[in-house]
Amino acid sequence: MMRKEVDCRGMACPRPVLETKKALEQMTGGQLVVTVDNPVARENVTMFARNAGFPVIAEERDGLFVLTITKSETGDQTAAKPESSKEASADREQTRTLTYFFTSNILGQGSPDLGLTLIKSLFNTLAETNPAPDNLIFLNSGVFLTCDSSPVLEQLKKMEAAGTRIISCGTCLEYYKLKEKLQVGRVSNMYEINQILSGPGKVITVP
């Protein structure tokens, strides 16, 4: 069985994920061993690999995290069936999504108190929207909205129950020391966030 190693120590998000992706694409099968030096990178790489359908075994060794990813020689080699331009267009239309992108825990510039009132009002509105947004992405100080003491946790949990995907930037949670205080949704990384933002759906940025 082919075995390949990738050393991602000292790399900032999303580079560990990108290096893992590149290595897996170069392999026809076997085991890829990825070494990272922080929990955020460990979780990001693990999530990426599992979402791609590859089993992952994570071990901690001397303060480092060693991730063994197994790629089947036939697991992802099936060629896609060619499709007409009309079929492709229809498929893209069916996968269009609505994403709200939050980069702050208040809405607008000016008075912080007014900004807090406005962000509460927005989430009250979103929670009653049918259908609910497909994605809510939280970056920078926006991650405070998904953690302890958030004024909109009730609304976020309601939307999550309705099928909304809620993701918070892992690097941002780590920076603000909020990782252990996350209350709704899951931790994500810049690679996945960029995939959503650059996808076929509509993105509404809430500054």
Side-chain angles (χ1 to χ4, degrees):
M1 177 181 288
M2 177 182 178
R3 180 181 173 90
K4 185 172 184 176
E5 297 187 7
V6 175
D7 187 348
C8 295
R9 289 176 290 181
M11 295 183 184
C13 173
R15 194 174 166 197
V17 171
L18 296 176
E19 293 295 325
T20 300
K21 178 177 182 291
K22 180 170 68 175
L24 285 169
E25 289 174 344
Q26 294 171 347
M27 299 171 60
T28 57
Q31 288 188 330
L32 174 65
V33 179
V34 182
T35 302
V36 297
D37 56 5
N38 65 84
V40 172
R42 175 196 63 193
E43 292 174 9
N44 287 343
V45 172
T46 298
M47 180 175 61
F48 164 77
R50 286 178 176 163
N51 286 344
F54 304 126
V56 183
I57 297 175
E59 301 174 273
E60 185 171 357
R61 303 176 189 170
D62 300 323
L64 300 175
F65 301 99
V66 180
L67 311 173
T68 303
I69 303 168
T70 302
K71 180 176 182 180
S72 164
E73 291 186 0
T74 58
D76 63 339
Q77 302 301 311
T78 304
K81 177 184 177 182
E83 58 182 358
S84 68
S85 59
K86 287 185 178 180
E87 290 173 334
S89 177
D91 286 344
R92 283 195 296 270
E93 188 63 31
Q94 289 176 358
T95 58
R96 286 181 64 84
T97 58
L98 175 60
T99 298
Y100 280 81
F101 182 39
F102 294 88
T103 60
S104 174
N105 59 337
I106 60 174
L107 179 56
Q109 301 179 4
S111 166
D113 290 339
L114 176 59
L116 180 59
T117 298
L118 293 174
I119 203 76
K120 290 179 182 177
S121 178
L122 175 59
F123 275 97
N124 283 331
T125 302
L126 290 176
E128 298 303 322
T129 301
N130 188 19
D134 298 283
N135 304 297
L136 299 178
I137 299 175
F138 297 88
L139 197 74
N140 209 317
S141 63
V143 298
F144 280 91
L145 295 172
T146 59
C147 296
D148 284 348
S149 302
S150 165
V152 296
L153 276 181
E154 180 181 346
Q155 292 86 349
L156 285 173
K157 290 178 179 179
K158 180 177 180 179
M159 284 186 278
E160 186 176 44
T164 299
R165 176 168 52 174
I166 298 174
I167 60 177
S168 296
C169 166
T171 300
C172 304
L173 289 168
E174 193 77 16
Y175 178 85
Y176 289 114
K177 297 180 172 53
L178 292 172
K179 190 176 176 186
E180 303 304 321
K181 299 181 179 181
L182 186 68
Q183 292 295 311
V184 62
R186 61 175 174 80
V187 179
S188 188
N189 58 79
M190 196 58 69
Y191 177 80
E192 181 185 20
I193 290 172
N194 181 64
Q195 280 193 314
I196 296 172
L197 296 179
S198 61
K202 180 177 181 179
V203 176
I204 298 175
T205 300
V206 184

